[in-house]
Every structure is written in structure tokens, then in C-alpha cells.
Amino acid sequence: MLLWLGCAAVILLGFLFRHSYFLQDIKYVIDKLNLKRRIWRYMQTNYLIVDLFLERVKTQPHKPFIRFKEETFTYQDADVHSNKAARAFLQSGAVREGDTVALFLANEPLFPWLWLGLVKIGCSAAFLNYNIRSKSLLHCFSCSGAKTLVAGEELQDAVEEVLPSLLEQQVTVFILTDRCKIAGVQSFQDKMKQASSEPLSKELRSNLTLQSPAAYIYTSGTTGLPKAVAVSHAKLWGYCLIMALTGVTSEDVVYNSLPLYHSAGFLGLMAGIERGMTVVLRSKFSASQFWDDCRKYDVTVVQYIGEIVRYLCNQPQKPNDRNHKVRLALGNGLRADVWKDFTRRFGNIEVREFYGATEGNLAMLNYSGKMGAVGRDYFLHKWLFPYALIKFDIEKGEPVRDSSGFCVEVAKGEPGLMVTKILASAPFSGYAGDLGQTEKKKLRDVFTKGDVYFNTGDLLRIDKDNFMYFQDRTGDTFRWKGENVATNEVADVVSVADSIEEANVYGVEVPGHEGRIGMAAVNLRDGQKFDSTAVFHQVEHFLPSYARPRFIRIQVRSLQELGIQKDFCSNFHISSSFCKNSPVLF
């Protein structure tokens, strides 16, 4: 019997080895299991990323950690600045062990100094999107349970707008300046400069475990307003170890122009610590300066989202397009056609596309380099990290179930809803302070009674060679400029305008651009004319630029019913054929 089993195993292995991806599949699974074991060991010893950072400070104090514009900060510099930040927080009396502090600032070295400083004293940080304003800003701040806000100097106006509400909630507000004359707001940089840079006792963070929140990162997921995802220290290890799967080493220099308030941007920063490498931080992405930066800083690894790569490909060609040291690009959202153009123009750069969600319990990596794919459907990987693509009814907005009440897996080539099994080894912690939305993301009794899966809200498909491809999103959000846009939030803002009775917002594709752009279909109030100026000012004031609808479709039979003059469309640079469908372009 054993002989027969042995023969069968040899025959099976021989057959599998004929598959060109078999060894890659096996290596990926083994590497992933080794990383999981590594995180498990860290959980046994309560080893945090900040502990590794402090080891880096001892072993490579003078190695550059952050390069920003013309400044270079070593690992030792980062330790000194984060110690000062930690002591400034403690001496202010506003921050205590276990507190959450909201950080409202752009990409700059102070971002990692503040986060490291907070973790050193047993606290966590909530990363606020610096584009949000007014109601959205207050909503995101409240989600995290923070009682302290630290804002960049350039965001002072946004803070002043909501200051009365913050002070009413007895929130302590700091601005990153040396002095501040606004009543109820304190400066913070002067406090940092005056604070001691002496190392802090590990006892100050003795309350932290790998299950404690390291940061709150916001996502719209595929439903509703932004929600705060409590990213534990264990999950943070998972984030930063993604780069380890791609072969990045301590000798690499990574270029990060993604917002640090997003998990992808913060991943690059944490991977810098985990790998012991140098991170080149950019305040904002610039297509015209991208390659000049890469040459200037000797960058070997770049992070991207799909839009970034398209912008780079749309730049005028230059003779030195291939004159750089970049060998690897890591990110998500890259279409196959843009991927092809990118490597053809800028050289033989390995692209590693990954798939995952901030709040998700499974990440995938395209380790084979197949253009357009986000990963591979490999039986061993699927068995160890259970997931499935199931049939989904777009009209009803729910999975299709069979006569027994269970979900049905799709056939190869057919788009299906990606769901990942929730296990003790693959938990879904949900959204901070929002049990209702947390429950909505759980699918129960998927294949057996009592099982629970995380609903990614994404439609994927598997081709005949077992490569997986992202297809589309479900739910009431769409993606534009690398950001999730909640349609209900936009509709609420548009509907406040006096002339509008009701608004329905959705995303539409625009040729030559990634994602979808916002369109609002509106009904006017009886007897009202469409007030384009008022609507424009409404969305400009209350929505970040990426969430503002660029098209308005007015649900009436003729322009005359709107009280719109014939020259209206020409003032908005809209063609006559466009006017026939009654849209307004902002």
C-alpha cells in the first residue's frame, strides 16, 4: 500500500514539475508560512516593530533611515527626534499610556517621529487623510476615540474650521509650529525642541501587546463613510513583511511618494525598519520629478498605485528614461496595458503587484510577474489560507445561494466575489466603534453551517492558467485618484444645495484614466432652477478634491425646465451633444 502511495506521489510530483509555475508556487507558500511563524514567535515574546527599530539604532546608528528633500536622517536621528516627541507628549499632560492621538499631516519626517514617539510611551495614532475637511474630518477624528489632535502647519485653516466642535469635546489641539496665537490651540515643535532626547524606559510601553492597536488607518471599504481600522502590532508586522516576500534587502533604497495615512504608504515606512534600509520620502507624488529623484537618491525599489504608473507613462519621453537603478516596483492597481508600457519604456523592472485590504485578513502577491494579475489560485495556498470566488447578484447586491442556502463558487473565467475565511490565524477585527459595519462585512454559512468569511467587496476572476485578476468593486464606493469615494457621503453633500431635492452618485469610467470619476444624477426641487455656482461651492467646501463629482446629470426633460440659458454649456466648455444629456461639468 505504501509502495503504491509512494509511486503515486512520484508520478504526481513529476506531473506537477512539468508546470512552469510549480516551484514558484511552492516557494511562495513556504516563504509565507515562514513569515507567519516569525510573527507567531514575536507574539510569544511580545516583540514590536519599535523593538526592532531600537535594535537598528544600536547596530546601524549612522545609516540613513529617511531622506527627505535635501535632508538626511539616520536611524540615530530618528531615535532622538522620536524620544523628544514622546517626552513632549508626556510633559504636555494631554497624553497618557494607552491613549490614541490623531495625526493630521502630510508626508514629512515628523510623521514617523510622532508615531514612533507615541508607541514608545504605550500609545497609538490615528492617521487622518489630510484632504478631508469639515464633517468628514470630525467624523474620522471621532471614530478613533482620540482626545488629542496634532496637525501640520499647512492644515491650520482646516483645524480652525472645526475647532469649536473639538474644543466642545475637550480635545487638546497641537499645531506643528514653534508658536501659535490661536485660542485653544498649542504649538508643538517648540515643546519637542525643549524636551530631552534621552531614551525612554521600556516600562512606558509595557501595556502593549501584539494585539494592541498600533495605528488606526481609514478606509471606505466598499460601503459608506470612512471607517477606522484598528491595525494591531501583529498586523503591522504582516504589512512590513510583504517586502520581504519580494526579495528586498537592507542594501535597497525604497522611494515612497504614497500618502503615509494609507496602509500602502505606511507599509513602505515600516518595511524600511524591518529590512534596515533607507526610505526616500516624498511629500507628494510628482510625475515630472519621479525619475530625477530616483537618480538623485540611487533608488532601487519604488512603490506605486496604478494611477502613478500611468502618469509616468504619459510623461514626454526623454533620452535618459532608462538611466536609473530601479530594479523593483511594488504596489497595486496596475493594468496589464500600462504595465507593458512601463517596462518597455523604463527598462527591465520587476513588478510585484499585490492584493489586499487594510481591514482584510488575507493578502496576495503576484510573484510570477504575469502582467495584470494580482496572484495565483494554487491549491496548497488556498488550503492553508482559505478563500473563494463566489457567485454574486449585482442587482440584489448579495451572493447567490443554492437550494441548501449555501454560496456557489464560480467557474474559471467567471467573475466572482472574493471572500476570505475568518479564522483565529486569520482574524477580522472590524472597524473601531462601528459594530454594524463590522457585521456587514461578515458572510455567514458560506459553504457549511457556522462558517464565517470576510466579504472583500471585490470581484475577481481566475483564468485557465490559475492567475487571478481584479475585475471591479461592488457596494456604494468607487475609486478615483487612488482614494475610495463613498457615494452616500457625496450625495449627502450635494443634496444640501437649495436647488436640489435628491442626488444619486456613482462612478463612471473616463478613457485614459484609472478607476472611476464621480457623477451625480440630481432631481431639482419644484419651481427651482439649477444653481451651478451654489452646488460648486458646496462640493468644493465640504469634499476633498478626489471625491467631488466632475459630472452632474439633471433628471429633467429639457434645459428650458431648468432655467438654463443657451450659453450655459459654452461657459462650462461642454459640447452641444453633451448638453443634450443635461450634464454639467465641474
Side-chain angles (χ1 to χ4, degrees):
M1 182 66 179
L2 289 174
L3 179 61
W4 281 107
L5 288 173
C7 291
V10 170
I11 293 169
L12 177 62
L13 284 173
F15 172 78
L16 290 173
F17 268 101
R18 293 175 60 192
H19 197 297
S20 59
Y21 299 108
F22 176 71
L23 291 178
Q24 291 181 350
D25 294 339
I26 289 291
K27 183 181 183 302
Y28 176 67
V29 170
I30 291 173
D31 288 346
K32 202 166 177 181
L33 285 173
N34 285 335
L35 293 180
K36 281 188 75 71
R37 278 196 290 270
R38 184 175 162 188
I39 295 173
W40 183 84
R41 289 199 305 270
Y42 292 161
M43 293 184 75
Q44 305 309 303
T45 57
N46 208 35
Y47 188 68
L48 310 178
I49 190 77
V50 72
D51 296 315
L52 177 57
F53 167 75
L54 292 172
E55 286 184 19
R56 300 290 187 215
V57 174
K58 289 179 181 178
T59 58
Q60 51 184 46
H62 305 301
K63 180 171 183 174
F65 172 38
I66 300 287
R67 298 195 69 182
F68 182 74
K69 297 180 180 178
E70 301 305 318
E71 295 182 288
T72 298
F73 300 92
T74 65
Y75 276 81
Q76 189 173 70
D77 292 332
D79 188 40
V80 166
H81 287 296
S82 58
N83 286 343
K84 283 176 167 287
R87 292 188 183 278
F89 280 124
L90 288 175
Q91 290 164 10
S92 72
V95 180
R96 298 175 182 175
E97 178 186 289
D99 282 354
T100 298
V101 174
L103 303 183
F104 187 45
L105 63 155
N107 285 16
E108 57 176 299
L110 270 168
F111 196 111
W113 309 163
L114 293 171
W115 180 79
L116 284 167
L118 286 167
V119 176
K120 285 180 177 182
I121 58 175
C123 296
S124 61
F127 301 159
L128 303 183
N129 182 334
Y130 54 72
N131 294 294
I132 59 176
R133 297 293 183 271
S134 189
K135 179 183 174 182
S136 292
L137 176 55
L138 287 172
H139 165 79
C140 290
F141 178 82
S142 299
C143 281
S144 67
K147 287 298 180 182
T148 302
L149 172 69
V150 182
E153 183 178 8
E154 71 280 8
L155 295 167
Q156 188 169 298
D157 290 344
V159 173
E160 284 191 77
E161 185 182 355
V162 297
L163 189 57
S165 296
L166 293 174
L167 295 180
E168 189 177 319
Q169 299 172 48
Q170 297 183 319
V171 173
T172 301
V173 182
F174 293 111
I175 297 289
L176 292 170
T177 57
D178 287 328
R179 58 180 61 87
C180 184
K181 297 180 180 179
I182 305 170
V185 179
Q186 304 177 50
S187 56
F188 193 78
Q189 290 218 128
D190 56 328
K191 294 176 176 58
M192 276 186 64
K193 290 174 182 176
Q194 294 163 13
S196 168
S197 63
E198 287 298 306
L200 293 107
S201 170
K202 191 173 182 178
E203 287 300 309
L204 289 171
R205 61 178 187 277
S206 61
N207 62 304
L208 298 180
T209 70
L210 262 74
Q211 303 304 327
S212 303
Y216 291 88
I217 300 180
Y218 293 80
T219 176
S220 291
T222 51
T223 57
L225 286 164
K227 295 171 284 292
V229 178
V231 177
S232 69
H233 285 275
K235 193 175 184 74
L236 192 58
W237 275 118
Y239 280 179
C240 63
L241 288 171
I242 288 176
M243 280 203 184
L245 286 170
T246 65
V248 173
T249 74
S250 61
E251 299 303 312
D252 281 306
V253 176
V254 64
Y255 186 78
N256 189 354
S257 60
L258 304 180
L260 294 179
Y261 60 75
H262 274 328
S263 52
F266 195 57
L267 174 157
L269 200 61
M270 294 298 99
I273 295 173
E274 192 277 326
R275 297 280 86 184
M277 61 185 174
T278 300
V279 178
V280 177
L281 189 60
R282 171 113 190 157
S283 54
K284 284 187 178 180
F285 167 75
S286 169
S288 62
Q289 296 179 44
F290 184 92
W291 291 112
D292 288 339
D293 280 350
C294 289
R295 286 183 278 268
K296 176 181 178 180
Y297 299 113
D298 291 325
V299 170
T300 58
V301 178
V302 297
Q303 289 184 259
Y304 70 83
I305 54 174
E307 291 88 339
I308 281 180
V309 181
R310 183 182 285 276
Y311 294 148
L312 293 175
C313 292
N314 287 341
Q315 287 290 297
Q317 291 197 14
K318 295 181 180 180
N320 63 346
D321 275 347
R322 289 177 170 238
N323 180 21
H324 58 77
K325 296 180 179 179
V326 176
R327 65 174 186 83
L328 177 70
L330 175 70
N332 61 341
L334 184 56
R335 291 166 49 122
D337 57 335
V338 182
W339 185 331
K340 185 177 181 180
D341 289 345
F342 177 71
T343 53
R344 182 170 53 193
R345 175 173 169 182
F346 297 109
N348 188 26
I349 300 171
E350 283 189 17
V351 177
R352 289 294 177 261
E353 176 88 358
F354 69 87
Y355 170 82
T358 302
E359 72 272 46
N361 61 343
L362 176 68
M364 290 189 171
L365 179 70
N366 178 355
Y367 48 88
S368 302
K370 176 75 171 181
M371 289 187 178
V374 298
R376 276 180 54 74
D377 181 47
Y378 175 53
F379 74 93
L380 187 57
H381 181 256
K382 190 173 184 177
W383 178 62
L384 292 168
F385 308 95
Y387 63 87
L389 302 189
I390 60 174
K391 292 187 177 183
F392 185 79
D393 189 320
I394 299 291
E395 296 297 321
K396 294 181 179 179
E398 61 185 36
V400 174
R401 293 183 181 264
D402 61 20
S403 57
S404 301
F406 297 121
C407 296
V408 182
E409 290 198 65
V410 297
K412 282 190 178 181
E414 181 183 348
L417 178 68
M418 176 73 163
V419 294
T420 57
K421 195 168 187 178
I422 299 174
L423 301 164
S425 58
F428 166 58
S429 57
Y431 308 109
D434 198 336
L435 183 60
Q437 288 294 340
T438 298
E439 284 302 311
K440 281 184 180 180
K441 294 295 285 184
K442 295 178 182 178
L443 282 178
R444 300 182 184 277
D445 303 331
V446 176
F447 296 117
T448 59
K449 201 70 176 174
D451 66 10
V452 186
Y453 280 70
F454 170 70
N455 177 1
T456 67
D458 295 329
L459 298 177
L460 277 69
R461 87 179 154 80
I462 302 169
D463 71 7
K464 61 181 177 62
D465 295 319
N466 294 324
F467 285 100
M468 301 180 71
Y469 300 84
F470 177 84
Q471 295 293 112
D472 206 347
R473 315 199 86 200
T474 64
D476 57 3
T477 67
F478 57 89
R479 195 163 179 83
W480 181 248
K481 300 293 184 184
E483 301 278 359
N484 289 335
V485 180
T487 57
N488 290 337
E489 179 186 8
V490 179
D492 288 345
V493 169
V494 173
S495 299
V496 172
D498 290 338
S499 61
I500 294 176
E501 180 179 14
E502 185 181 21
N504 180 37
V505 175
Y506 48 96
V508 294
E509 292 182 341
V510 177
H513 294 272
E514 303 294 332
R516 296 174 184 266
I517 198 168
M519 176 177 280
V522 302
N523 289 324
L524 299 181
R525 297 184 187 278
D526 290 341
Q528 289 280 338
K529 297 178 181 179
F530 179 70
D531 188 342
S532 60
T533 302
V535 174
F536 177 82
H537 289 309
Q538 176 74 10
V539 299
E540 183 183 42
H541 183 70
F542 289 103
L543 293 172
S545 58
Y546 60 82
R548 297 168 192 163
R550 295 308 198 267
F551 300 97
I552 298 287
R553 184 176 296 280
I554 303 168
Q555 305 290 72
V556 293
R557 286 172 297 198
S558 68
L559 291 174
Q560 286 71 27
E561 292 183 46
L562 307 178
I564 293 178
Q565 302 302 315
K566 289 183 178 179
D567 63 351
F568 176 82
C569 290
S570 61
N571 288 339
F572 277 87
H573 307 288
I574 299 173
S575 67
S576 58
S577 61
F578 205 51
C579 283
K580 290 176 183 177
N581 292 322
S582 304
V584 178
L585 176 64
F586 286 155

